[in-house]
Amino acid sequence: MGWGIPLNEDERRAFEEKLGALRIEHRDLDSAIHALGGDPLHDQLALRRMKKRKLLLKDQIAWIERQLDPDIPA
């Protein structure tokens, strides 16, 4: 999958579902980070962990998007 081999319908659907879930989690984390960052007594460790998770999600989203729409035609 994603190595120049076209995705079948089931694989594409699974990637699209996962992509939707990751985007929702990314958006929710972004909201939580903003809310926590606005609190002067926020937990620095929790904020740092959320930011790391958000970056990981961003990487996963980008990877799935590349699988769904590769730059190089198969």
Side-chain angles (χ1 to χ4, degrees), residues 47-73:
L47 187 60
R48 210 169 24 235
R49 285 180 177 164
M50 283 193 275
K51 287 180 178 181
K52 283 179 113 175
R53 175 71 182 152
K54 186 179 165 194
L55 286 173
L56 176 66
L57 290 171
K58 182 179 175 183
D59 289 344
Q60 290 175 337
I61 289 167
W63 185 86
I64 291 174
E65 287 172 340
R66 285 191 307 272
Q67 304 313 302
L68 290 171
D69 189 23
D71 292 339
I72 303 169

Side-chain angles (χ1 to χ4, degrees), residues 6-71:
L7 298 173
N8 67 39
E9 289 230 11
D10 290 336
E11 291 168 333
R12 179 168 287 282
R13 189 175 312 112
F15 272 134
E16 289 171 350
E17 288 175 12
K18 181 68 173 172
L19 183 60
L22 290 173
R23 285 181 173 156
I24 290 169
E25 185 178 353
H26 186 270
R27 184 191 63 225
D28 291 348
L29 262 177
D30 191 46
S31 297
I33 288 168
H34 285 295
L36 193 58
D39 179 2
L41 301 175
H42 67 272
D43 181 353
Q44 281 289 335
L45 181 59
L47 187 60
R48 210 169 24 235
R49 285 180 177 164
M50 283 193 275
K51 287 180 178 181
K52 283 179 113 175
R53 175 71 182 152
K54 186 179 165 194
L55 286 173
L56 176 66
L57 290 171
K58 182 179 175 183
D59 289 344
Q60 290 175 337
I61 289 167
W63 185 86
I64 291 174
E65 287 172 340
R66 285 191 307 272
Q67 304 313 302
L68 290 171
D69 189 23
D71 292 339

